């Protein structure tokens, strides 16, 4: 009987001990679980703080970039405009004087058809007939050159829009054309490259309320990337056909604009380059992500462009597939609405130009 009592006591003690151990284990597990939750929450807070810090950094970079560009444009515009205006103004008078002198020479020839031998020798030496025909052409070409410089300066001003800190209604096409003029030298043929053809299909768009300088920066980033892609070695290899010596690849950029709705315009910029994989597309708008070689790109262009379009309450998306080229869709409202929801990027597969 005593043995049974002792056995029961030992069993009870073991049971109590086991229950206490299980309780302590449960408490430890709960503490571990609570600590894990706290760590996850802390990690999420740090990730949010890092994201906010990166966004602030990008905004500072964009502000500094536009500020530097503005100073450059202001200096260039000032330094070029003065001499160009001087040349243009004097070319008008030079043209008038030239016409008057040529008319006077013609009258002399009519009044004195038989000049002295010295005059005849000089006329033969300078080839007066050729000068009379060529001099107006030279003056005309000089006027064209001066006007070209004026247009370049105007394009720089339109591109930066530094004097327009406030949101204004502007012509989107003018911004695109100004950007293309700045990039014109990169579109021209080179020794091993036939140049890039730009096909513009502009729709009938209303004036768009926006920060024009920032939106032009988006066009610049997208077009610069398209030029970089078309100038890549793998695309240059396409220039010669596999079984012929004739060119089978013509580097081309398409720019289409259209009014999607009463309050939404769309700018589509496409190229016939190599395209991109789904994995690249997923990371396309990530800060510092780039497929370019070291030193060729910062990986900030499209990320900054996305933030600018988002600031305009629009959407920025990419359509691309390997071997099918790439097309970017930039959609912005015609009129900004304070409570309008911002569309997010939704990369899709398959290019859609022909």
């Amino acid at each position: 009987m005593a043995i049974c009592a002792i056995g029961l006591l030992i069993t009870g003690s073991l049971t109590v001990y086991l229950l206490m151990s299980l309780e302590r284990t449960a408490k430890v597990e709960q503490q571990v679980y609570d600590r894990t939750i706290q760590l996850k929450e802390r990690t999420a807070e740090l990730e949010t703080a890092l994201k906010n810090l990166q966004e602030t950094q990008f905004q500072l970079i964009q502000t500094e970039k536009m500020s530097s560009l503005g100073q450059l444009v202001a200096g260039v515009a000032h330094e070029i405009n003065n001499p160009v205006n001087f040349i243009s103004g004097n070319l008008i008078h030079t043209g008038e004087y030239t016409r008057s002198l040529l008319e006077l020479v013609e009258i002399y020839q009519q009044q004195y058809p038989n000049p002295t031998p010295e005059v005849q020798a000089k006329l033969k030496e300078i080839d007066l007939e050729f000068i009379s025909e060529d001099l107006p052409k030279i003056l005309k070409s000089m006027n064209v050159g001066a006007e070209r410089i004026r247009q370049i300066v105007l394009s720089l001003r339109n591109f930066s829009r530094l004097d327009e800190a406030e949101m204004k209604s502007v012509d989107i096409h003018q911004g695109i054309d100004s950007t293309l003029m700045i990039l014109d030298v990169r579109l021209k043929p080179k020794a091993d490259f036939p140049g890039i053809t730009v096909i513009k299909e502009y729709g009938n768009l209303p004036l768009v309320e926006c920060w024009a300088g920032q939106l032009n920066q988006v066009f610049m980033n997208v077009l610069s990337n398209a030029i970089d892609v078309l100038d890549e070695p793998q695309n240059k290899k396409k220039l010669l056909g596999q079984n012929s010596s004739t060119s089978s690849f013509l580097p081309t950029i398409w720019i289409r604009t259209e009014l999607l709705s009463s309050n939404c315009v769309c700018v589509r910029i496409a190229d016939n380059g190599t395209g991109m994989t789904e994995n690249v597309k997923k990371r396309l708008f990530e800060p510092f992500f780039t497929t370019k070689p070291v030193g060729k790109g910062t990986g900030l262009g499209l990320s900054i462009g996305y933030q600018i379009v988002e600031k305009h309450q629009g959407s920025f998306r990419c359509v691309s597939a390997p071997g099918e080229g790439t097309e970017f869709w930039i959609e912005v409202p015609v009129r900004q609405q304070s409570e309008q929801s911002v569309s997010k990027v939704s990369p899709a597969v398959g290019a859609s130009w022909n």
Side-chain angles (χ1 to χ4, degrees):
M1 192 68 178
I3 294 175
C4 289
I6 293 171
L8 289 173
L9 180 61
I10 294 174
T11 302
S13 299
L14 289 173
T15 301
V16 171
Y17 176 77
L18 288 173
L19 290 174
M20 292 176 63
S21 297
L22 289 173
E23 184 178 356
R24 284 195 297 270
T25 301
K27 288 182 178 179
V28 171
E29 289 178 348
Q30 184 63 40
Q31 291 175 351
V32 170
Y33 176 77
D34 292 341
R35 185 59 176 166
T36 302
I37 294 298
Q38 292 176 359
L39 288 173
K40 288 182 177 179
E41 291 176 350
R42 182 59 177 165
T43 301
E45 291 175 358
L46 291 174
E47 289 177 349
T48 301
L50 178 60
K51 183 179 179 181
N52 292 335
L53 180 62
Q54 287 178 331
E55 290 178 353
T56 303
Q57 180 185 14
F58 300 150
Q59 291 173 359
L60 290 173
I61 291 173
Q62 175 67 13
T63 301
E64 181 63 26
K65 190 174 182 179
M66 293 304 295
S67 176
S68 300
L69 178 62
Q71 295 174 4
L72 173 64
V73 170
V76 169
H78 177 73
E79 294 299 327
I80 293 180
N81 258 345
N82 286 337
V84 167
N85 289 335
F86 174 79
I87 293 171
S88 298
N90 282 303
L91 281 175
I92 296 174
H93 301 301
T94 304
E96 293 175 354
Y97 299 159
T98 300
R99 284 192 296 272
S100 298
L101 290 173
L102 291 176
E103 289 172 359
L104 179 61
V105 171
E106 185 178 354
I107 293 173
Y108 264 95
Q109 288 178 323
Q110 293 173 357
Q111 297 295 324
Y112 301 96
N114 299 314
T116 63
E118 291 83 5
V119 173
Q120 289 181 0
K122 192 62 178 179
L123 290 173
K124 185 177 181 181
E125 179 185 343
I126 66 174
D127 194 352
L128 180 61
E129 184 177 352
F130 174 77
I131 290 178
S132 299
E133 293 179 358
D134 196 49
L135 187 54
K137 296 178 182 178
I138 292 175
L139 291 172
K140 183 178 180 180
S141 65
M142 292 171 68
N143 273 304
V144 171
E147 181 60 27
R148 172 69 174 172
I149 296 174
R150 288 167 60 89
Q151 289 299 322
I152 291 174
V153 173
L154 180 61
S155 295
L156 287 171
R157 285 177 169 177
N158 289 337
F159 172 77
S160 62
R161 298 275 187 172
L162 294 170
D163 56 337
E164 297 181 3
E166 298 179 357
M167 182 177 290
K168 293 186 177 180
S169 294
V170 300
D171 183 354
I172 290 291
H173 296 151
Q174 187 182 71
I176 297 173
D177 290 339
S178 298
T179 306
L180 286 172
M181 182 169 287
I182 293 172
L183 295 171
D184 184 62
V185 67
R186 298 189 60 196
L187 300 171
K188 293 183 179 299
K190 292 178 284 189
D192 59 343
F193 193 62
I196 299 173
T197 301
V198 177
I199 299 175
K200 296 187 290 186
E201 299 177 3
Y202 289 168
N204 185 18
L205 300 185
L207 297 180
V208 176
E209 190 178 54
C210 64
W211 289 276
Q214 294 184 20
L215 206 55
N216 290 341
Q217 185 66 42
V218 179
F219 301 147
M220 171 67 78
N221 292 344
V222 175
L223 287 168
S224 294
N225 280 352
I227 294 172
D228 289 341
V229 167
L230 293 173
D231 202 27
E232 287 178 349
Q234 56 265 41
N235 281 318
K236 289 183 177 179
K237 292 179 182 178
K238 293 183 184 179
L239 293 174
L240 295 179
Q242 295 180 352
N243 300 317
S244 68
S245 59
T246 59
S247 176
S248 60
F249 171 66
L250 298 176
T252 307
I253 293 175
W254 290 265
I255 304 176
R256 293 191 177 100
T257 64
E258 58 183 318
L259 187 64
L260 296 183
S261 68
S262 60
N263 194 47
C264 183
V265 298
C266 178
V267 178
R268 296 159 57 190
I269 301 176
D271 65 70
N272 59 343
T274 54
M276 62 184 75
T277 64
E278 190 66 28
N279 289 334
V280 171
K281 275 199 305 178
K282 288 179 179 178
R283 302 188 60 192
L284 196 59
F285 297 97
E286 289 183 10
F288 304 109
F289 173 75
T290 179
T291 58
K292 298 177 183 178
V294 176
K296 292 291 185 179
T298 61
L300 288 173
L302 292 179
S303 175
I304 290 174
Y306 174 73
Q307 290 189 39
I308 292 173
V309 175
E310 188 177 51
K311 178 181 177 181
H312 283 80
Q313 300 180 340
S315 67
F316 192 12
R317 59 192 177 96
C318 173
V319 179
S320 183
E324 298 294 332
T326 301
E327 184 173 47
F328 285 93
W329 288 52
I330 305 164
E331 299 176 16
V332 292
V334 177
R335 295 288 178 271
Q336 294 291 313
Q337 301 177 22
S338 58
E339 296 181 359
Q340 182 175 330
S341 61
V342 178
S343 302
K344 299 299 181 182
V345 174
S346 55
V349 177
S352 59
W353 68 83
N354 281 307

